[in-house]
Amino acid sequence: MNPKIVLASSNPGKVFEFAQILSTCQLEVVPQDQFQVPNVEETGLTFVENALLKARQAAKCTGLPAIADDSGIEVDALHGAPGIYSARFAGPKATDADNNALLLDRLKDVADSDRTARYHCVIVYLRHADDPMPLICHGSWEGQILQAPRGQHGFGYDPLFYVPTHQCSSAELPPEVKNQLSHRAQALRALQRALQLS
């Protein structure tokens, strides 16, 4: 296995998180911006398709194995929305605050008991750009959507995502606790186990 792997993201927090967990696999995780890999348009209809698009582009441009993730939140009362459109729910240039405001507006008449939701994260690993058997790992995190934002940590929908096991929002959890529980942490641990077996 090539010890160097390109991550199809330039997000420093994500790069750090991936590098930390995958260090036990003796892998060096390098962000794609070190190779000037352009961002790919996410035209897939599922988290898996979008993660594959990103990983294939990174592998093709660098000649290295690649990993990519795609994630979002699924709200039952909205038939799974925002789903793959989570980051751009309120429009292509939407901020986290814009997306949260739209979600609250869509749920304004929905009772607390019907505000169930879950985060999903899919991580894809490709040995090379034409890998016909990508490694696909998934993590999900169950919760509910609050009536108003709470907490200062995290990003995205974290201020609205209530974690029943800890009786607080994801944004109220200390980062080290969130990084044990989250959908991304679960998917990363599954990837770690799979890579150690491969």
Side-chain angles (χ1 to χ4, degrees):
M1 184 188 294
N2 191 321
K4 186 176 281 192
I5 187 166
V6 62
L7 174 62
S9 174
S10 304
N11 179 318
K14 197 179 283 190
V15 172
F16 178 76
E17 198 175 338
F18 273 69
Q20 216 177 18
I21 290 182
L22 296 181
S23 63
T24 58
C25 303
Q26 280 72 56
L27 290 172
E28 180 192 353
V29 178
V30 185
Q32 69 176 14
D33 58 358
Q34 283 193 15
F35 302 93
Q36 284 77 52
V37 177
N39 287 326
V40 69
E41 193 178 349
E42 296 180 28
T43 55
L45 298 178
T46 65
F47 294 122
V48 173
E49 289 173 15
N50 282 333
L52 276 168
L53 285 169
K54 292 186 269 192
R56 283 203 197 283
Q57 164 124 327
K60 186 176 180 182
C61 292
T62 64
L64 291 170
I67 47 176
D69 83 313
D70 198 45
S71 52
I73 196 166
E74 173 188 28
V75 180
D76 293 322
L78 301 180
H79 308 291
I84 61 167
Y85 305 106
S86 293
R88 50 194 190 277
F89 189 38
K93 299 201 185 310
T95 64
D96 288 348
D98 296 335
N99 289 329
N100 281 306
L102 180 58
L103 183 59
L104 286 176
D105 183 62
R106 294 274 177 90
L107 293 174
K108 64 179 183 288
D109 298 322
V110 177
D112 286 349
S113 57
D114 295 325
R115 295 166 79 97
T116 49
R118 68 209 48 81
Y119 272 125
H120 287 287
C121 176
V122 169
I123 297 177
V124 167
Y125 169 80
L126 295 176
R127 293 166 295 170
H128 50 79
D130 299 316
D131 191 343
M133 282 296 290
L135 187 56
I136 300 171
C137 300
H138 172 247
S140 64
W141 194 18
E142 294 288 332
Q144 288 176 285
I145 303 301
L146 292 163
Q147 297 278 358
R150 285 167 34 182
Q152 303 301 316
H153 299 297
F155 58 94
Y157 298 90
D158 287 349
L160 294 179
F161 187 74
Y162 180 75
V163 183
T165 54
H166 288 63
Q167 298 185 333
C168 66
S169 78
S170 174
E172 291 174 301
L173 290 170
E176 61 274 14
V177 175
K178 181 195 169 188
N179 290 342
Q180 291 295 314
L181 302 172
S182 78
H183 51 308
R184 184 170 290 112
Q186 293 177 45
L188 265 173
R189 283 195 296 272
L191 178 65
Q192 178 191 33
R193 288 192 297 270
L195 287 173
Q196 284 171 335
L197 294 171
S198 63

